[in-house]
Amino acid sequence: MEKMNVVLPDGAKIELDTGANVYDLAGKIGARLQKAAVAAVVNDETVDLGTGLADGDRVSIITESSAEGIDIMRHSMSHVMAQAVMRLYPNVKLGIGPTIQDGFYYDLDLEKRISVEDLPSIEAEMVKIISEDLGFERREIGKDDAKREFIGQPYKLELIDEIEDAALGLYKDGEFVDLCRGPHVMSTGRLKAFKLLSVAGAYWRGDEKRPMLQRIYGTAYFNEKELKAHLVRLEEAEKRDHRKLGRELDLFTIDDAFGAGLPLWHPKGAILRKVVEDFWKNEHIKRGYELIATPHIAKVDLWRTSGHWDFYRESMFSPMEVEGTDYVVKPMNCPGHIKIYKSHTRSYRELPIRWAELGTVYRFERSGVLHGLLRVRGFTQDDAHIFCTPEQIESEILDVIELMSFILKGFGFDDYDVYLSTQPEKSVGLQENWDKATSALSAALEKAGLAYEIDPGEGVFYGPKIDVKIRDAIGRSWQCTTIQVDFNLPERFDLTYVGADNQEHRPIMIHRAILGSLERFIGVLIEHYAGAFPVWVAPEQVIVLPIADRHNEYAETVAGKLRELGVRAGLDLRTESVNKKIRDAQLQKTPYMLVVGDKEIENEQVAVRDRSGNRGPVALTSFIDEITEAIASFSSGMEAEAADGGSA
């Protein structure tokens, strides 16, 4: 039999019989690899294990231990779930079934309304399909044949019409056929541990004017141990859900009568915001930023100049007419900062200019994607823009990274992943500027000692960027800091500065947000601490609990002394038992509870309870020293770190 050679990632060549496929190659390398193989990358294309190989092909095997392998397995599981639903419920119309972080879903149009009570029967049918060990068979057909294949499936027919390729990929396992690029595992028997999690409504294509489909969510792993660990994480995440804790801790509400995606901050929530805002403002002022403020609305023409009207109009609210002129609520703060820059001629001696604003912006998010504080329509960006010369980019980026590290650590986040997103295919600006900006971002990250991954082609059209995803207490990743270099807006608004040569030059604009938005960051903060905030962050740091009415006056005195020192002290004067007051304070996750009765009044003491339990009576003066020191220790510790140049 004729032979051929394929090339592995390390450059090694493997001889195979002509006509061999990827699965054969994995077996030639080793039985363990063949058992763990899920798919492969052949000449930069991800393919099934059954794909035939040709002489000279470059091949990398994807195994079940890799993120790519898990994703492929979950995609196959979404097909099995849809297949099970079709077996159980006739006349199902198929939508789409992609993978998502930690799982998968499938959108389905059914006559029956599915509930969580129906999930066990679907799971049982999925187990049956897996036990049948049905092979995933791929074939390519033309559009006309594909339309005949999916007669009676309107959502699939709509997708087929939109696909530009002449040939479309289909996958078949048993009686089930789906429109799909693939790849998939070799057979349903390769699928192991899974769990269906929930059912939700989802508009077709995310458009509320289209039919509402039923979306079934699930997760899957290659072994039961990993599945069980994930389900434990989900249970913990449910306990930490900021929407639930927001209600229980009386922080915020979102009222449909007021408007979807528009949070209403309660007193405790507003104090929590103030704590975050004050820390943010103070650190920016210390580092040479100036605070500015811009209006919530502006004329439509401003957004035409900026390009938002053309590129982001679908995410903007409709215009409102004022005295014959159209205005819109702002989706971004950038144009306002630019207009302040253009208010007079700038010299190179003024650069860099660093302007910061906690600016509230409004974006039209579809109702189906709104999610508590994490996805809203009105939110406050911790926004800042730096106007600088090309030569100043690297040092300014380094300063932003150090500020980011300092602020995130202050809130308890010191574990994060960093990505450098480079020039996309469609971009604006000179190549020289792109190269210089990308090099400056990379150099700043390296000088800051931050490990990072390159995200090729994922920069915005106007410049490269750094994205930072923080990890919370249970290991979840959240998009947080972004740092973007922009050549586009300075060009569109004709920004200039007078250089040392007395000629006009174009400045570089750096967009950056440390927290992302106050709403989203506070939502993450709630879930990170499960509502039990550090003392310096807690909206109520102390609550004073008189045992009986005759102790109220002393309780008010204690609370008053604490408030005079800047401690956020509450007072519970309800005619409830002290045990009820203690239980309620614990549910509110207040760091310190001070119980006062006859003995405490007589000895000028307070009986202290903290999160570790009942500590008993201490002198009021001693507790005041303790709480003020606990708060001050955060400030002094952060100041000492800042003096050392930050934690980057």
CSV table of all heavy atoms in Angstrom, one decimal, residues 220-247:
chain,number,residue,atom,x,y,z
A,220,ALA,N,-22.0,19.9,30.3
A,220,ALA,CA,-21.5,18.6,30.1
A,220,ALA,C,-20.0,18.6,30.3
A,220,ALA,O,-19.3,19.6,30.1
A,220,ALA,CB,-21.8,18.1,28.7
A,221,TYR,N,-19.5,17.4,30.8
A,221,TYR,CA,-18.0,17.2,31.0
A,221,TYR,C,-17.7,15.8,30.5
A,221,TYR,O,-18.6,15.0,30.3
A,221,TYR,CB,-17.7,17.4,32.4
A,221,TYR,CG,-17.7,18.9,32.9
A,221,TYR,CD1,-18.9,19.5,33.3
A,221,TYR,CD2,-16.5,19.6,32.8
A,221,TYR,CE1,-18.9,20.8,33.6
A,221,TYR,CE2,-16.5,21.0,33.2
A,221,TYR,CZ,-17.7,21.5,33.6
A,221,TYR,OH,-17.7,22.9,33.9
A,222,PHE,N,-16.4,15.5,30.4
A,222,PHE,CA,-16.0,14.2,30.0
A,222,PHE,C,-16.0,13.2,31.2
A,222,PHE,O,-15.8,12.0,31.0
A,222,PHE,CB,-14.6,14.2,29.4
A,222,PHE,CG,-14.7,14.6,27.9
A,222,PHE,CD1,-14.2,15.8,27.5
A,222,PHE,CD2,-15.2,13.7,27.0
A,222,PHE,CE1,-14.2,16.2,26.2
A,222,PHE,CE2,-15.2,14.1,25.6
A,222,PHE,CZ,-14.8,15.3,25.2
A,223,ASN,N,-16.2,13.7,32.4
A,223,ASN,CA,-16.3,12.7,33.6
A,223,ASN,C,-17.2,13.3,34.6
A,223,ASN,O,-17.4,14.5,34.7
A,223,ASN,CB,-14.9,12.4,34.1
A,223,ASN,CG,-14.2,13.6,34.7
A,223,ASN,OD1,-14.6,14.2,35.7
A,223,ASN,ND2,-13.1,14.0,34.0
A,224,GLU,N,-17.7,12.4,35.5
A,224,GLU,CA,-18.7,12.8,36.5
A,224,GLU,C,-18.1,13.7,37.6
A,224,GLU,O,-18.7,14.6,38.1
A,224,GLU,CB,-19.3,11.5,37.2
A,224,GLU,CG,-20.2,10.8,36.3
A,224,GLU,CD,-21.6,11.5,36.2
A,224,GLU,OE1,-21.9,12.4,37.0
A,224,GLU,OE2,-22.3,11.1,35.2
A,225,LYS,N,-16.8,13.5,37.9
A,225,LYS,CA,-16.2,14.3,38.9
A,225,LYS,C,-16.2,15.8,38.6
A,225,LYS,O,-16.5,16.6,39.4
A,225,LYS,CB,-14.7,13.8,39.1
A,225,LYS,CG,-14.0,14.6,40.2
A,225,LYS,CD,-12.6,14.0,40.4
A,225,LYS,CE,-11.8,14.8,41.5
A,225,LYS,NZ,-10.4,14.3,41.6
A,226,GLU,N,-15.8,16.1,37.3
A,226,GLU,CA,-15.8,17.5,36.9
A,226,GLU,C,-17.2,18.0,36.8
A,226,GLU,O,-17.4,19.2,37.1
A,226,GLU,CB,-15.1,17.6,35.5
A,226,GLU,CG,-13.6,17.4,35.6
A,226,GLU,CD,-13.0,17.5,34.2
A,226,GLU,OE1,-13.7,17.5,33.2
A,226,GLU,OE2,-11.7,17.6,34.2
A,227,LEU,N,-18.2,17.2,36.4
A,227,LEU,CA,-19.6,17.7,36.4
A,227,LEU,C,-20.0,18.0,37.8
A,227,LEU,O,-20.7,19.1,38.0
A,227,LEU,CB,-20.5,16.6,35.7
A,227,LEU,CG,-22.0,16.9,35.8
A,227,LEU,CD1,-22.3,18.1,35.0
A,227,LEU,CD2,-22.8,15.7,35.3
A,228,LYS,N,-19.8,17.1,38.7
A,228,LYS,CA,-20.2,17.4,40.1
A,228,LYS,C,-19.6,18.7,40.7
A,228,LYS,O,-20.2,19.4,41.3
A,228,LYS,CB,-19.9,16.2,41.0
A,228,LYS,CG,-20.8,15.0,40.7
A,228,LYS,CD,-20.4,13.8,41.6
A,228,LYS,CE,-21.3,12.6,41.3
A,228,LYS,NZ,-20.9,11.4,42.1
A,229,ALA,N,-18.3,18.9,40.4
A,229,ALA,CA,-17.6,20.1,40.8
A,229,ALA,C,-18.3,21.3,40.2
A,229,ALA,O,-18.4,22.3,40.9
A,229,ALA,CB,-16.1,20.0,40.5
A,230,HIS,N,-18.7,21.2,39.0
A,230,HIS,CA,-19.3,22.4,38.3
A,230,HIS,C,-20.7,22.6,38.9
A,230,HIS,O,-21.0,23.8,39.2
A,230,HIS,CB,-19.4,22.1,36.8
A,230,HIS,CG,-20.2,23.2,36.1
A,230,HIS,ND1,-19.6,24.4,35.9
A,230,HIS,CD2,-21.4,23.2,35.5
A,230,HIS,CE1,-20.5,25.2,35.2
A,230,HIS,NE2,-21.6,24.5,35.0
A,231,LEU,N,-21.4,21.6,39.2
A,231,LEU,CA,-22.7,21.8,39.8
A,231,LEU,C,-22.6,22.4,41.2
A,231,LEU,O,-23.5,23.2,41.6
A,231,LEU,CB,-23.5,20.4,39.9
A,231,LEU,CG,-23.8,19.8,38.5
A,231,LEU,CD1,-24.5,18.5,38.7
A,231,LEU,CD2,-24.7,20.7,37.7
A,232,VAL,N,-21.6,22.0,42.0
A,232,VAL,CA,-21.3,22.7,43.3
A,232,VAL,C,-21.1,24.2,43.1
A,232,VAL,O,-21.6,25.0,43.8
A,232,VAL,CB,-20.2,22.0,44.0
A,232,VAL,CG1,-19.7,22.8,45.2
A,232,VAL,CG2,-20.6,20.6,44.4
A,233,ARG,N,-20.3,24.5,42.0
A,233,ARG,CA,-20.0,25.9,41.7
A,233,ARG,C,-21.3,26.6,41.4
A,233,ARG,O,-21.5,27.8,41.8
A,233,ARG,CB,-19.0,26.0,40.6
A,233,ARG,CG,-17.6,25.6,41.0
A,233,ARG,CD,-16.5,26.1,40.0
A,233,ARG,NE,-16.7,25.5,38.7
A,233,ARG,CZ,-16.2,24.4,38.3
A,233,ARG,NH1,-15.4,23.7,39.1
A,233,ARG,NH2,-16.4,23.9,37.1
A,234,LEU,N,-22.1,26.0,40.6
A,234,LEU,CA,-23.4,26.6,40.3
A,234,LEU,C,-24.3,26.9,41.5
A,234,LEU,O,-24.9,27.9,41.6
A,234,LEU,CB,-24.2,25.7,39.3
A,234,LEU,CG,-23.6,25.6,37.9
A,234,LEU,CD1,-24.5,24.8,37.0
A,234,LEU,CD2,-23.5,27.0,37.2
A,235,GLU,N,-24.3,25.9,42.4
A,235,GLU,CA,-25.0,26.1,43.7
A,235,GLU,C,-24.5,27.3,44.4
A,235,GLU,O,-25.2,28.1,45.0
A,235,GLU,CB,-25.0,24.9,44.5
A,235,GLU,CG,-25.8,23.7,44.0
A,235,GLU,CD,-25.6,22.5,44.9
A,235,GLU,OE1,-25.1,22.6,46.0
A,235,GLU,OE2,-26.1,21.4,44.4
A,236,GLU,N,-23.1,27.4,44.5
A,236,GLU,CA,-22.5,28.6,45.2
A,236,GLU,C,-22.8,29.9,44.5
A,236,GLU,O,-23.1,30.9,45.1
A,236,GLU,CB,-21.0,28.3,45.3
A,236,GLU,CG,-20.3,29.4,46.0
A,236,GLU,CD,-20.7,29.5,47.5
A,236,GLU,OE1,-21.1,28.5,48.1
A,236,GLU,OE2,-20.6,30.7,48.0
A,237,ALA,N,-22.8,29.8,43.1
A,237,ALA,CA,-23.1,31.0,42.4
A,237,ALA,C,-24.5,31.5,42.6
A,237,ALA,O,-24.8,32.7,42.7
A,237,ALA,CB,-22.9,30.8,40.9
A,238,GLU,N,-25.4,30.5,42.7
A,238,GLU,CA,-26.8,30.9,43.0
A,238,GLU,C,-27.0,31.6,44.3
A,238,GLU,O,-27.8,32.5,44.5
A,238,GLU,CB,-27.7,29.6,42.9
A,238,GLU,CG,-29.2,29.9,43.0
A,238,GLU,CD,-30.0,28.6,42.9
A,238,GLU,OE1,-29.5,27.6,42.5
A,238,GLU,OE2,-31.3,28.7,43.0
A,239,LYS,N,-26.2,31.1,45.3
A,239,LYS,CA,-26.3,31.7,46.6
A,239,LYS,C,-25.8,33.2,46.6
A,239,LYS,O,-26.2,34.0,47.3
A,239,LYS,CB,-25.4,30.9,47.6
A,239,LYS,CG,-25.9,29.6,48.0
A,239,LYS,CD,-25.0,28.8,48.9
A,239,LYS,CE,-25.3,27.4,49.1
A,239,LYS,NZ,-24.3,26.7,49.9
A,240,ARG,N,-24.8,33.4,45.6
A,240,ARG,CA,-24.2,34.7,45.5
A,240,ARG,C,-24.9,35.6,44.5
A,240,ARG,O,-24.4,36.7,44.3
A,240,ARG,CB,-22.7,34.5,45.1
A,240,ARG,CG,-21.9,33.8,46.1
A,240,ARG,CD,-20.5,33.4,45.6
A,240,ARG,NE,-19.7,32.8,46.6
A,240,ARG,CZ,-18.7,33.5,47.3
A,240,ARG,NH1,-18.5,34.7,47.1
A,240,ARG,NH2,-18.0,32.8,48.2
A,241,ASP,N,-25.9,35.2,43.9
A,241,ASP,CA,-26.6,36.0,42.9
A,241,ASP,C,-26.9,37.4,43.4
A,241,ASP,O,-27.6,37.6,44.3
A,241,ASP,CB,-27.9,35.3,42.5
A,241,ASP,CG,-28.5,35.9,41.2
A,241,ASP,OD1,-28.5,37.1,41.1
A,241,ASP,OD2,-29.1,35.1,40.4
A,242,HIS,N,-26.3,38.4,42.7
A,242,HIS,CA,-26.4,39.7,43.2
A,242,HIS,C,-27.9,40.3,43.1
A,242,HIS,O,-28.2,41.2,43.8
A,242,HIS,CB,-25.5,40.7,42.3
A,242,HIS,CG,-26.0,41.0,41.0
A,242,HIS,ND1,-25.9,40.1,39.9
A,242,HIS,CD2,-26.6,42.1,40.5
A,242,HIS,CE1,-26.5,40.6,38.8
A,242,HIS,NE2,-26.9,41.8,39.1
A,243,ARG,N,-28.7,39.7,42.2
A,243,ARG,CA,-30.1,40.1,42.2
A,243,ARG,C,-30.8,39.7,43.4
A,243,ARG,O,-31.6,40.5,44.0
A,243,ARG,CB,-30.7,39.5,40.9
A,243,ARG,CG,-30.2,40.0,39.6
A,243,ARG,CD,-30.7,39.2,38.4
A,243,ARG,NE,-30.2,37.8,38.6
A,243,ARG,CZ,-30.5,36.8,37.7
A,243,ARG,NH1,-31.3,37.1,36.7
A,243,ARG,NH2,-30.1,35.6,37.9
A,244,LYS,N,-30.6,38.5,43.9
A,244,LYS,CA,-31.2,38.0,45.1
A,244,LYS,C,-30.6,38.8,46.3
A,244,LYS,O,-31.4,39.2,47.2
A,244,LYS,CB,-30.9,36.5,45.2
A,244,LYS,CG,-31.3,35.9,46.6
A,244,LYS,CD,-31.0,34.4,46.5
A,244,LYS,CE,-31.1,33.7,47.9
A,244,LYS,NZ,-30.0,34.0,48.7
A,245,LEU,N,-29.3,38.9,46.4
A,245,LEU,CA,-28.7,39.6,47.5
A,245,LEU,C,-29.0,41.1,47.5
A,245,LEU,O,-29.2,41.7,48.5
A,245,LEU,CB,-27.2,39.4,47.5
A,245,LEU,CG,-26.7,38.0,47.9
A,245,LEU,CD1,-25.2,37.9,47.6
A,245,LEU,CD2,-27.0,37.7,49.3
A,246,GLY,N,-29.2,41.7,46.3
A,246,GLY,CA,-29.6,43.1,46.2
A,246,GLY,C,-30.9,43.3,46.9
A,246,GLY,O,-31.1,44.4,47.5
A,247,ARG,N,-31.9,42.4,46.7
A,247,ARG,CA,-33.2,42.5,47.4
A,247,ARG,C,-33.0,42.3,48.9
A,247,ARG,O,-33.5,43.1,49.7
A,247,ARG,CB,-34.2,41.5,46.8
A,247,ARG,CG,-34.6,41.8,45.4
A,247,ARG,CD,-35.8,40.9,45.0
A,247,ARG,NE,-35.4,39.5,45.1
A,247,ARG,CZ,-34.9,38.8,44.1
A,247,ARG,NH1,-34.6,39.3,43.0
A,247,ARG,NH2,-34.6,37.5,44.3
